[in-house]
Amino acid sequence: MSHRPPARSPRAAVPPLLVVLLVLLGLTVGPLLAAAPGGASGASTGAPTAGERTVEEPSAPPALPAATDVDYQLGGVDEVPDHVGIVVRDRTEEPAGVYDVCYVNGFQTQPDARRFWRERWSLVLRDDRGRPVVDSAWGEWLLDLRTASKRERVARIVGRWIDGCARDGFEAVELDNLDSFLRSDGLLRRGQNLALASLLVERGHAAGLAVAQKNLAGYDGTRIGFDLAVAEECGRYDECDAYTEVFGDQVVVVEYRDRDFEATCAGFGDALPVVRRDRPLRPAYDPRWC
């Protein structure tokens, strides 16, 4: 009884002459076989092989914790009471070890940073006489966001600060003065500010941070990726609803007057963390909570 020759495996399918040529060239048939559909076995397991990189989905930015209070410590670091689970501090300070929000002035200059911005004078918004346009309430120069090139340069500078917040252990970043166009004497447009905001939100998410919209009530910041909001005096100006309609309970509120604080607590204290602070935000001040 004769035996039938065994069926050829895919590995034997390479023509003998080609094998000889490959050997003469110092090559092997392995790459040819690996390139065949299903590899040498003709089947694919779908599992990554050695040397392959798997792409992981980015994790969602951390949300605000529920049922806790907030403190706004921009004027200096203070102790954190046990009932406070959210603290906002300047990017130059250490996080408190709770849900920490890193304050970054994204659209204006800090009053003590004028030397830094004088060295980048073309990024400071100036009037027709060459004078810086100033936010008179805080003594801050506005940044010039009128061209894509300037916005990209500002985004690189502020982006490095955002990355620093992430390295220091903050969970979120607050981008202050999104509404600087309202104080620009008509030199800036809303869309220019939002274009920079989009760049900064992307940078924050790339660093693993949640990103907070600061003020500009009525704007749906989720359209460009904002995750939460920091609302100053939304009770005073009857704007808290404008934030909750967009961000739900992902809103923290800071009030600076007793009557506004009390009204905000009455309307939103059960749903949102609200703190009554002094406007200079001094560490010696005793905050109040709802």
Side-chain angles (χ1 to χ4, degrees), residues 68-267:
T68 190
D69 288 316
V70 62
D71 199 5
Y72 206 57
Q73 298 186 357
L74 299 189
V77 170
D78 200 358
E79 293 184 4
V80 180
D82 291 340
H83 62 89
V84 171
I86 306 166
V87 172
V88 184
R89 286 181 175 173
D90 188 78
R91 66 180 181 85
T92 61
E93 303 289 357
E94 293 294 322
V98 289
Y99 185 99
D100 291 293
V101 182
C102 185
Y103 172 91
V104 171
N105 200 342
F107 299 80
Q108 298 181 180
T109 71
Q110 292 292 83
D112 60 355
R114 289 192 171 185
R115 180 176 179 180
F116 176 89
W117 289 106
R118 281 190 185 278
E119 295 171 356
R120 297 155 181 82
W121 193 235
S122 64
L123 298 179
V124 175
L125 185 67
R126 285 165 286 165
D127 61 20
D128 56 4
R129 298 176 62 181
R131 300 173 302 186
V133 178
V134 181
D135 177 351
S136 58
W138 301 100
E140 299 174 358
W141 295 340
L142 275 63
L143 297 180
D144 190 348
L145 313 177
R146 290 176 292 182
T147 68
S149 174
K150 289 187 176 184
R151 292 192 294 271
E152 289 168 1
R153 290 172 61 193
V154 171
R156 285 195 294 270
I157 294 169
V158 178
R160 290 194 291 270
W161 300 341
I162 292 172
D163 291 346
C165 294
R167 286 194 303 270
D168 289 343
F170 287 87
E171 279 74 33
V173 59
E174 169 198 333
L175 300 175
D176 198 11
N177 293 305
L178 175 63
D179 57 354
S180 69
F181 63 93
L182 297 173
R183 299 178 289 279
S184 71
D185 298 326
L187 295 175
L188 294 176
R189 297 195 303 272
R190 177 188 180 104
Q192 293 164 346
N193 280 50
L194 296 181
L196 173 61
S198 183
L199 296 175
L200 298 181
V201 168
E202 182 178 1
R203 186 68 172 258
H205 287 165
L209 300 172
V211 187
Q213 175 181 323
K214 176 67 171 293
N215 297 332
L216 197 59
Y219 172 65
D220 181 359
T222 63
R223 294 165 57 187
I224 58 172
F226 280 115
D227 306 289
L228 60 141
V230 176
E232 281 183 305
E233 300 190 285
C234 69
R236 177 178 180 178
Y237 297 107
D238 195 24
E239 296 174 336
C240 296
D241 278 330
Y243 292 103
T244 58
E245 287 174 1
V246 173
F247 294 102
D249 62 358
Q250 296 295 290
V251 181
V252 299
V253 181
V254 186
E255 296 290 347
Y256 298 116
R257 303 191 310 181
D258 283 338
R259 62 178 180 272
D260 303 324
F261 169 73
E262 291 162 4
T264 304
C265 284

